[in-house]
Amino acid sequence: MSERPVRVRFAPSPTGPLHIGGVRTALYNYLFAKQNGGKFLLRIEDTDQKRFVPGAEEYINQSLAWLGMSPDEGVKEGGEYGPYKQSERMDQYAAYAEQLVQNGNAYYAFDTPEELDEMRAKLEANSMSAKYDSTSRMSMKNSLTLSEDEVKERLKRGDKYIIRIKLQRNEEIRFHDEIRGWIVFNSSQLDDKVLLKEDGLPTYHLANIVDDHLMEITHVIRGEEWLPSAPLHVILYSYLGWESTMPKFAHLPLILKPDGKGKLSKRDGDRLGFPVFPLEWKSTEGEISSGYRESGYMPEAVVNMLAMLGWHPTDNQELFTMNELINAFSLEKVSKSGAKFDMDKAKWYNHHYLMKASSSQLRNMVDHQISEVHLSRGEHYLLQVLEILKEKVSFAGDILPLGQYFFDVPETYDENVKRKKWKDEIPMHITNYVDGLLSEHKSKASEMEEYLQTYADDQRLSKGILMQPLRWVVSGQAGGPPIFQMLELIGLEEIRRRVDIAKEKF
Ligand code: GLU
């Protein structure tokens, strides 16, 4: 078989906000497609109308766009294989289910809910698993047990029915998973899954296979929770005669809770204090779940962090831009075991990308926090403050609150510094030093630093004992950005004013 052009899909069901596990699935699909010069599709799997949640589809679109992994084909993007939403493809699935019935690989089942309950109860009473399968189906009402005439009669009079797949008993099903190697199941572990529901609509299994086939998907890259469905899918490919173009499978490991105990769930995020959704989500009941974007994460950081949850490169490199990931990613390097979520690591990534951000990017990130006071010394001054403080924070949103003193007299003064350092001759020395800077016009950081050395030498002091009080009178803080850079930015006149204020206060 000649190699087909790579086509992969991310196929979420719009049942709520997209969990970061789903985002990672989308990312790995995206990386794989781009690396292979292929196409990344977004297919909305909304066959289960009962679970439909308004806004979820738009949420998926926005999340992918924010993270920079826009689909090549999809509901919004269009494409030659559309429609890309299953609810708009509903008329095409039934024919495949019928085809399977005609070939003897599926059957009509007419059982009522009561009859099904009865069967389950009977099986359970005999300690058998309550499955509709190759054994139990023979005592049920279906086209395998009823006469041909009766089946025809029932169909004619419009009796309700569903179509189930007819699995063979004790048949070995093998397939190769790109991450896990050979996977072997026995058909007796499975049940005769419903393919077409009473209302004529397909179940997930049928719609998923039919669409993957018609959309010429070459690789199915999805979460581990779908591994138990894979043997059924493999059988469907063979029953439908599509074996030769069956996609390759890759089942991704779970993302685990930080302590490694179980899957990271939708509820864990706000319980453990970190987002599990890319964007903030407001449920129809008005409940808000936090998002990475609103919590101040940069998309580059989220992409990098998610890429490393389950995949590792050949060397120990941890920092990757999207383009670097596209080059380095490989399914073989995706691990089989779950990846623990690590919040400190997430912050570490964000800090890294914050350090790389330009001041105007930072400016955009804090735009919603900016008030008049931040602009009182002009736009350029604001940009410089953002620049000088970014190394001190994990999130852009923490910069302005941390840097209050760049815009006004400190709101608070660190008590410890006052108690330990602001005593004896220190206030006098600080005043003399600052007066000296003023009279000698030393306003550059390097000049201020040099002059402090000169002053300390003259006074036979160690300059160390002046530095912290100097920072403190100006910022109120015990620590902060490089002191002379901070002083240069705040400016001599303002420093002088703050020295007086501190002397008066303390
Ligand atoms: N609609 C399924 C989901 O919500 C798709 C699973 C698959 O990729 O086959 O995850």
Side-chain angles (χ1 to χ4, degrees), residues 295-302 345-355 393-396:
S295 304
Y297 282 87
M298 295 170 66
E300 297 87 336
V302 177
K345 201 75 199 198
K347 283 189 186 162
W348 179 84
Y349 276 114
N350 205 57
H351 176 75
H352 169 80
Y353 286 97
L354 210 55
M355 289 301 285
V393 298
S394 298
F395 302 104

Side-chain angles (χ1 to χ4, degrees), residues 380-480:
H380 183 62
Y381 181 78
L382 170 61
L383 294 186
Q384 286 178 290
V385 174
L386 297 176
E387 191 65 42
I388 193 176
L389 280 177
K390 67 182 183 186
E391 68 165 302
K392 293 283 154 200
V393 298
S394 298
F395 302 104
D398 294 339
I399 297 182
L400 290 177
L402 185 70
Q404 174 273 333
Y405 59 87
F406 276 98
F407 305 98
D408 207 346
V409 174
E411 265 166 12
T412 55
Y413 289 84
D414 188 302
E415 277 294 323
N416 274 332
V417 181
K418 187 186 97 186
R419 215 175 47 246
K420 293 189 191 146
K421 305 276 173 77
W422 189 248
K423 53 188 185 192
D424 307 327
E425 318 271 75
I426 299 293
M428 179 201 75
H429 286 306
I430 298 285
T431 313
N432 290 346
Y433 166 67
V434 174
D435 284 347
L437 291 176
L438 273 163
S439 62
E440 307 238 350
H441 305 289
K442 294 191 184 299
S443 58
K444 292 265 165 286
S446 58
E447 297 169 336
M448 293 181 178
E449 183 166 10
E450 224 172 273
Y451 189 67
L452 185 67
Q453 189 65 58
T454 314
Y455 180 84
D457 290 348
D458 280 355
Q459 301 291 325
R460 295 174 190 285
L461 295 168
S462 120
K463 73 171 180 181
I465 67 162
L466 296 177
M467 296 236 306
Q468 203 180 35
L470 181 59
R471 176 193 291 284
W472 179 79
V473 285
V474 176
S475 71
Q477 312 284 313

Side-chain angles (χ1 to χ4, degrees), residues 9 11-13 43 45 204 208 212 220-222 225-226 233:
R9 80 318 190 260
S13 299
R43 184 173 70 225
E45 299 211 325
Y204 153 74
N208 185 269
D212 281 350
V220 166
I221 303 170
R222 62 183 173 190
E225 62 274 28
W226 298 102
H233 296 174

Side-chain angles (χ1 to χ4, degrees), residues 119-132:
M119 168 198 86
R120 290 196 192 102
K122 232 190 246 163
L123 288 171
E124 271 160 16
N126 289 307
S127 309
M128 288 158 80
S129 75
K131 288 192 307 193
Y132 202 113

